[in-house]
Amino acid sequence: MTPAEPEKNKSPYATMIVLAVVLLVVLLTCVPYLVTIASAEGPAARDTADASPIFGVTIPPGYKQWELIAPAEEAAPLDELRAVVGNRTAIDAYQAGKLPFPDGTILVKRAWKRKQSPEFASATIPGAATTVQVMVKDSKKYASTGGWGFGRFINGKPVDEAQHRTCWGCHEARASSRDYVFTRLAP
């Protein structure tokens, strides 16, 4: 046996060890991504009970941190304070004056009962939350309703189908010239 022969015999073992280490590194790198993907897809299937009838719209995560588009006050009988917020696509479209709004635009109207401020007699503040209303722009999915899907939620749950049937008619009748959106960007 020559001195080079033991080297050849060790080479397959070294190659197997290197391959095993590479495989382990790949698995440890990929598994977190696979788990993230699986967990992201899992709740979506379970959340269909939280989707609005007719449109399948849900309350978008993180919407409470979105940028304000405009506040509003609703007179009696609702007596509500409202704030419309939007995702980045909505904000960019508003700031650019872009109509129609691009697909991916999401607008959320938050509403609360008006309440007298205990500190200032002339001030009205938000009281109990009443509704969260959502508009999602997808011109293909919602082609029959001007490209918009609607959701109205009380305590995080969608209201009934009859109430959702009124969304499109109201927006179509009163805001067709503004891509069916009532809210204008506050100055």
Side-chain angles (χ1 to χ4, degrees):
M1 180 172 0
T2 65
E5 285 183 38
E7 295 279 329
K8 288 182 181 176
N9 289 341
K10 289 182 183 177
S11 180
Y13 295 114
T15 303
M16 285 176 37
I17 290 171
V18 168
L19 288 175
V21 169
V22 169
L23 180 62
L24 183 62
V25 168
V26 168
L27 284 174
L28 291 174
T29 304
C30 293
V31 167
Y33 293 113
L34 296 173
V35 169
T36 302
I37 291 167
S39 65
E41 290 177 358
R46 291 190 295 268
D47 288 345
T48 56
D50 293 333
S52 67
I54 304 170
F55 303 100
V57 170
T58 58
I59 297 173
Y63 75 95
K64 290 180 180 179
Q65 284 74 47
W66 289 359
E67 194 169 329
L68 177 69
I69 295 168
E73 183 176 7
E74 182 75 28
L78 293 178
D79 290 318
E80 290 181 336
L81 295 177
R82 297 174 170 192
V84 175
V85 296
N87 67 354
R88 184 80 257 152
T89 305
I91 298 300
D92 290 346
Y94 269 108
Q95 290 174 342
K98 184 176 184 171
L99 285 177
F101 287 91
D103 283 359
T105 296
I106 304 175
L107 304 172
V108 177
K109 181 193 311 177
R110 302 178 65 191
W112 304 267
K113 278 296 190 188
R114 278 190 313 189
K115 180 175 142 182
Q116 179 70 45
S117 169
E119 290 85 16
F120 298 101
S122 62
T124 301
I125 61 171
T130 57
T131 64
V132 172
Q133 298 177 44
V134 182
M135 288 178 68
V136 176
K137 183 70 179 267
D138 184 327
S139 57
K140 291 179 184 162
K141 185 175 183 179
Y142 305 117
S144 66
T145 52
W148 291 98
F150 300 89
R152 184 169 184 263
F153 304 86
I154 296 176
N155 296 322
K157 300 294 179 196
V159 297
D160 62 26
E161 186 173 328
Q163 289 185 57
H164 279 92
R165 290 196 183 284
T166 66
C167 298
W168 169 238
C170 187
H171 285 259
E172 181 182 35
R174 295 184 176 100
S176 62
S177 67
R178 299 217 16 95
D179 194 23
Y180 310 104
V181 174
F182 291 107
T183 305
R184 290 170 171 76
L185 184 63

